[in-house]
């Protein structure tokens, strides 16, 4: 959920608030919002299908907000400079 809801979540019984963009608790993944959900899905894809597959998805989406590069796609000569620079 959005970080603005953290105070309210802390009032709920049995709820443990973890202040991360996304978390995995066993088979359950949850994220803080839309862009955090993209980060979460790339991590999930990397875990399930491997870093190269996650890299293909990340490269196609041109999504590099947190500096993490999965796979080798950023080395692709077709990649824009801002992708290769990371």
């Amino acid at each position: 959920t959005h970080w603005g809801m953290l105070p309210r979540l802390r009032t709920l019984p049995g709820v443990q608030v973890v202040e991360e963009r996304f978390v995995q608790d066993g088979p359950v993944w949850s994220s803080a919002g839309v862009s955090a959900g993209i980060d979460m899905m790339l991590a999930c894809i990397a875990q399930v299908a491997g870093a190269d597959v996650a890299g293909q998805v990340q490269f196609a989406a041109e999504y590099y907000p947190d500096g993490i590069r999965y796979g080798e796609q950023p080395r692709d000569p077709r990649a824009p400079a801002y992708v290769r620079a990371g």
Side-chain angles (χ1 to χ4, degrees):
T1 189
H2 190 272
W3 56 265
M5 293 300 294
L6 294 177
R8 185 168 182 194
L9 286 173
R10 287 188 177 96
T11 68
L12 298 174
V15 173
Q16 178 187 1
V17 175
V18 178
E19 293 190 39
E20 300 290 340
R21 286 181 57 76
F22 66 87
V23 295
Q24 178 186 9
D25 184 8
V28 177
W29 293 70
S30 57
S31 71
V34 175
S35 62
I38 297 169
D39 294 340
M40 177 187 72
M41 283 310 306
L42 288 170
C44 180
I45 292 167
Q47 181 176 314
V48 171
D52 192 57
V53 174
Q56 292 171 33
V57 173
Q58 185 179 39
F59 183 65
E62 294 189 49
Y63 183 77
Y64 300 99
D66 59 3
I68 295 174
R69 295 337 194 228
Y70 294 96
E72 297 297 318
Q73 283 69 31
R75 297 172 197 242
D76 188 315
R78 298 171 296 164
Y82 66 87
V83 171
R84 287 181 274 116

